[in-house]
Amino acid sequence: VDLAGGATSSVTGSVVDDAGSAPANQVCVVAYRPDNLIGMGMVGPDGTFHVDGLADGDYWFGIIGCDFDSDGGTMIRFPG
C-alpha cells in the first residue's frame, strides 16, 4: 500500500491455533523491519489484534509471548 506523505495505516486480524481457537496464552503481534520493531498489538481473548501507526513500507509480522509476568517466549516469523 502506498500512503500519502506522513500518513499512517493499520493492520487488523486474528491469531488462531490449528483448531481455529484463540491462543491459550497471552500473545502479541509485532510489525517490524529487520532490526527495527515498528508496532505491537496485544491479541484479545477472541484472537483479534490491531496494530496502528504503520508508515508506508514493507513489514514482517511475528507473534511473541507477551505475558509480562513471564519471560516472553519465542518470536514466530511470518514472511510476507
Side-chain angles (χ1 to χ4, degrees):
V1 174
D2 291 323
L3 301 172
T8 61
S9 187
S10 63
V11 174
T12 301
S14 60
V15 175
V16 296
D17 62 18
D18 290 338
S21 301
N25 298 322
Q26 183 62 58
V27 296
C28 290
V29 172
V30 293
Y32 64 101
R33 295 178 180 168
D35 300 321
N36 189 11
L37 175 64
I38 304 297
M40 180 172 73
M42 190 171 274
V43 175
D46 62 352
T48 60
F49 69 89
H50 182 84
V51 179
D52 56 1
L54 302 176
D56 188 29
D58 296 323
Y59 295 88
W60 293 343
F61 291 88
I63 301 170
I64 60 171
C66 62
D67 176 357
F68 298 109
D69 293 331
S70 71
D71 66 358
T74 303
M75 176 178 278
I76 302 169
R77 292 184 179 186
F78 293 98

